[in-house]
Amino acid sequence: MKTGTLKQILLITDGCSNQGENPAHVATMVAEQGITVNVIGILEDDQTEQPSGLQEVEDIANCGLGVSQIVYKQALSQTVQTVTKQAMNETLQGVVNKELKQILGDQQSLEELPPEQRGEVMEVVDDLGETCDIEVLVLVDTSASMGNKLPMVQEALMDLSMSMNARIGRNRFSIYQFPGKKKPLEQLVDWTAQLDSITSIFSKLASGGVTPTGPALKEAMYQFGKKTLKRRFMRNDFRDIEEA
Amino acid sequence: MISETLKKPDIQLRKGQKITGKWHHKSYQIVRELGRGAIGTVYLCVCEQKQVALKVSKQSTSITSEVNVLKTFQKVQGDNLGPALIDVDDYQASNGYMYAFYVMEYISGERLESFIRRNGDEWIVSLLIGFTKDLHLLHQQGYVFGDLKLDNLIVSRNPIRLRWVDVGGTTLQGRSIKEYTEFYDRAYWKMGERKADPGYDLFALVMVVLRIYYPNGFNRGNNPKRTLMQKINQAVQPAPFRKLLQGIILGHVKEAIEVKQYLLTYYYQQRDKKRSSYRTLNNSDEESYYPLLEMLSVLSVSGAVYLYVTIFLS
């Protein structure tokens, strides 16, 4: 079974958006493109209750068919890798469920199989999770209030790269921050397999209270599109040569 | 669309609640909660007057994965590697959602750290000898335990033995570790990859031992390797045992069987030392196994001498 490359956007933020279109709506569009949107909301150390602003975190992930989690910054490393892997597994289950429906008829999905048969199907999902290729575009909110959390974000991303690279499948990561200086989105790290060498990438903090989550998400979707388009051209070239 | 993306809520079972499986129709009555993890909750239950442990989760796939692991363990003859698997089923909750669960043998016992605190830390070595043997067997099956930590270990009575109770992190060798806890994770301490090899479990095992001495854990610091070495030097007493732990941390010891052999040799040396000290005390060549008998013999010799002195020399 082939799954192709899984595509994910990982949004790390600490509050609600206040500029541009509704991010949950944008997330729906992104999901339509086959890209999962996962969101991690970071709490302040002294926050004991979930502030209302972070309700948006769950909405975006729901619309983006992804996973959301709200954590304190200390737990960030472990959360980032759990969320990424969980979303990956859910996507793969979706793929397997589709296959199952084709084989067994419309009403069958993994959860509806008797437990005895579920085990074998699960082995397939586990295998796919270990071997599939994955691309993660990390979108970091660098508005002023995130300042004290960015060192932890950086560490969490290095840890994510370590977790993912222990798999057999290939990984590619890129990191963007928003808001950028003049644009809603600014690239920090271009597509790379390893994030272990990133140091002090979040040097420039945006001042002012603008958090354009929606526009940033939209821009991130275009970044994915651009890259695949470029690669498709290259691949096609090679294929022509091979066929000839 | 909306119903698909709506989140399935976590499941909370009440004491006394009865759970009946959808497929096998067996009923389980909840007694109390045993533990709660990232993936699911384990409850103590009663089924046909027997105590069993039931793990339920909203992630049916994780439950299925764990059942797969437990089934593999079941096939290994002789020693039972994990808790025995009893039943796998689905539970239709009153909120309309379906929750997957499995039922396993209930292992009663005590947490490792409280056992050691009660009985003394000389027990660590003897418990680890049995445990590393099990670990070696698990590694031979092509698996790595993964999420080895105090919360996942229990000291069972009759026989007294260190056993693992949660197989959620068990991973095929060569793959990326499924579940881990930062303090016990080799990659977190920058001492290696987060990949399933026997050394990963051994590293976590050293951290388990350290956690007994440092119940609140400790920070990584700027130089994680140096921190670990320091903490081992400060807490662990017998020098050979300390050397072993450091050897594992540095990756010199890679197999569970090596650890077992080393501990066994150390254990016998300890016993020989004790024995030889008895020997010098007794001045006899006979092997002395029973301290009580020795005491008796010492007493009777001294009694004879006393009699001799009082009768013949007075």
Side-chain angles (χ1 to χ4, degrees):
Chain A
M1 197 187 295
K2 270 191 125 179
T3 53
T5 302
L6 302 192
K7 300 192 183 94
Q8 291 187 2
I9 291 176
L10 176 65
L11 172 65
I12 302 177
T13 181
D14 70 341
C16 53
S17 61
N18 54 16
Q19 198 190 49
E21 49 268 77
N22 179 354
H25 181 223
V26 180
T28 317
M29 300 298 297
V30 178
E32 279 298 315
Q33 306 290 314
I35 303 165
T36 314
V37 185
N38 302 314
V39 193
I40 293 176
I42 310 181
L43 287 169
E44 290 293 340
D45 289 341
D46 51 359
Q47 278 173 332
T48 46
E49 258 178 63
Q50 193 174 315
S52 57
L54 283 173
Q55 172 61 40
E56 191 184 76
V57 163
E58 219 163 279
D59 294 343
I60 301 174
N62 277 343
C63 291
L65 301 181
V67 179
S68 69
Q69 191 79 261
I70 290 167
V71 291
Y72 291 103
K73 66 175 186 228
Q74 289 79 8
L76 200 58
S77 287
Q78 210 153 2
T79 311
V80 164
Q81 75 94 30
T82 324
V83 161
T84 306
K85 278 196 168 173
Q86 199 185 328
M88 180 180 84
N89 280 333
E90 278 176 18
T91 310
L92 291 171
Q93 271 165 51
V95 175
V96 171
N97 272 344
K98 224 182 250 171
E99 296 271 321
L100 276 178
K101 272 184 190 143
Q102 265 176 12
I103 300 167
L104 302 169
D106 239 6
Q107 288 309 308
Q108 290 288 358
S109 75
L110 184 53
E111 301 211 343
E112 285 147 19
L113 285 177
E116 290 75 23
Q117 289 166 30
R118 224 177 276 167
E120 289 166 39
V121 180
M122 199 52 218
E123 268 172 36
V124 176
V125 178
D126 275 348
D127 277 350
L128 288 176
E130 187 63 27
T131 54
C132 71
D133 297 341
I134 185 165
E135 288 174 351
V136 184
L137 189 153
V138 185
L139 202 54
V140 185
D141 173 358
T142 51
S143 54
S145 59
M146 282 287 288
N148 62 339
K149 295 159 198 136
L150 290 176
M152 289 307 257
V153 171
Q154 187 173 310
E155 196 169 300
L157 293 179
M158 284 159 73
D159 193 81
L160 171 71
S161 147
M162 201 156 53
S163 258
M164 299 307 282
N165 279 313
R167 299 181 324 124
I168 297 164
R170 276 180 303 178
N171 311 285
R172 277 150 61 81
F173 306 93
S174 68
I175 306 177
Y176 287 79
Q177 71 170 10
F178 74 96
K181 253 185 202 150
K182 284 183 186 120
K183 303 169 282 180
L185 194 66
E186 196 170 322
Q187 187 184 59
L188 294 175
V189 178
D190 198 7
W191 290 102
T192 171
Q194 304 267 349
L195 287 181
D196 44 15
S197 55
I198 51 166
T199 39
S200 57
I201 47 167
F202 303 113
S203 47
K204 301 155 267 172
L205 277 182
S207 50
V210 198
T211 313
T213 312
L217 261 179
K218 200 172 183 183
E219 199 51 42
M221 177 175 76
Y222 289 142
Q223 296 299 332
F224 256 117
K226 241 191 246 169
K227 185 203 47 147
T228 38
L229 205 67
K230 223 188 277 169
R231 225 190 290 155
R232 206 170 289 153
F233 271 126
M234 282 161 63
R235 256 190 219 156
N236 278 347
D237 285 346
F238 281 120
R239 216 168 276 160
D240 286 346
I241 295 167
E242 269 174 13
E243 275 167 10
Chain B
M1 177 87 193
I2 288 170
S3 63
E4 252 179 41
T5 52
L6 260 181
K7 263 195 184 165
K8 193 166 163 181
D10 279 314
I11 185 165
Q12 186 82 41
L13 299 176
R14 280 172 286 107
K15 188 180 163 187
Q17 196 175 344
K18 214 166 199 180
I19 294 214
T20 307
K22 173 187 166 190
W23 303 89
H24 304 139
H25 312 294
K26 274 194 170 179
S27 291
Y28 303 92
Q29 189 155 26
I30 307 288
V31 179
R32 66 187 161 91
E33 188 180 307
L34 288 172
R36 186 177 280 270
I39 279 177
T41 314
V42 183
Y43 295 93
L44 176 64
C45 294
V46 173
C47 171
E48 291 156 8
Q49 275 112 48
K50 265 200 299 200
Q51 285 190 321
V52 291
L54 181 148
K55 183 164 185 178
V56 63
S57 165
K58 63 173 176 176
Q59 284 165 261
S60 112
T61 48
S62 306
I63 291 286
T64 311
S65 280
E66 286 181 29
V67 167
N68 276 349
V69 171
L70 286 173
K71 274 186 184 157
T72 324
F73 289 175
Q74 232 83 127
K75 287 180 201 143
V76 183
Q77 296 290 310
D79 298 75
N80 43 352
L81 278 179
L85 181 69
I86 298 169
D87 190 15
V88 190
D89 217 323
D90 289 333
Y91 167 61
Q92 172 93 52
S94 50
N95 62 8
Y97 286 101
M98 195 72 85
Y99 292 90
F101 69 85
Y102 68 85
V103 181
M104 58 189 155
E105 159 200 12
Y106 171 57
I107 301 171
S108 71
E110 194 177 353
R111 282 180 68 95
L112 176 61
E113 66 269 34
S114 71
F115 179 88
I116 297 296
R117 218 162 292 138
R118 245 170 11 94
N119 298 291
D121 57 3
E122 65 267 24
W123 273 93
I124 296 182
V125 170
S126 35
L127 283 175
L128 284 187
I129 291 174
F131 188 76
T132 44
K133 189 182 144 213
D134 290 347
L135 210 52
H136 177 63
L137 213 60
L138 176 84
H139 293 162
Q140 276 185 319
Q141 297 304 310
Y143 283 96
V144 154
F145 187 80
D147 201 6
L148 198 57
K149 55 176 174 179
L150 281 178
D151 299 315
N152 284 344
L153 292 171
I154 214 163
V155 182
S156 69
R157 288 178 280 266
N158 300 329
I160 292 179
R161 203 173 167 80
L162 186 60
R163 297 187 62 175
W164 55 71
V165 286
D166 189 342
V167 299
T170 307
T171 311
L172 272 175
Q173 280 182 33
R175 297 198 165 180
S176 59
I177 293 290
K178 258 193 216 161
E179 244 181 78
Y180 65 90
T181 307
E182 260 176 12
F183 184 79
Y184 304 86
D185 171 41
R186 185 173 67 181
Y188 171 76
W189 291 96
K190 304 202 187 308
M191 298 302 294
E193 285 181 289
R194 197 168 284 152
K195 208 170 198 148
D197 57 54
Y200 187 89
D201 276 348
L202 295 183
F203 182 94
L205 194 60
V206 172
M207 298 314 286
V208 165
V209 174
L210 281 179
R211 195 78 196 216
I212 298 173
Y213 292 110
Y214 302 93
N216 300 320
F218 45 83
N219 279 331
R220 185 160 52 161
N222 287 330
N223 187 341
K225 186 167 143 188
R226 204 175 55 204
T227 310
L228 286 175
M229 292 299 148
Q230 262 173 7
K231 295 290 174 186
I232 293 178
N233 276 329
Q234 279 164 14
V236 183
Q237 231 353 283
F241 189 45
R242 192 162 58 215
K243 228 179 247 165
L244 172 72
L245 297 190
Q246 285 171 340
I248 295 173
I249 293 286
L250 295 172
H252 301 325
V253 184
K254 292 192 179 74
E255 297 291 334
I257 193 80
E258 291 175 65
V259 180
K260 188 200 147 199
Q261 284 306 336
Y262 187 98
L263 288 174
L264 218 54
T265 322
Y266 165 71
Y267 184 72
Y268 279 126
Q269 274 169 1
Q270 286 294 102
R271 213 170 69 166
D272 285 347
K273 251 185 230 161
K274 271 184 202 157
R275 243 188 250 168
S276 59
S277 59
Y278 279 136
R279 233 171 269 165
T280 46
L281 195 94
N282 247 349
N283 246 349
S284 77
D285 284 328
E286 274 174 20
E287 297 228 326
S288 42
Y289 280 101
Y290 306 104
L292 250 181
L293 270 181
E294 276 173 46
M295 295 266 286
L296 269 177
S297 66
V298 170
L299 280 178
S300 57
V301 168
S302 57
V305 169
Y306 177 72
L307 274 177
Y308 180 79
V309 169
T310 44
I311 294 169
F312 295 102
L313 296 182
S314 54

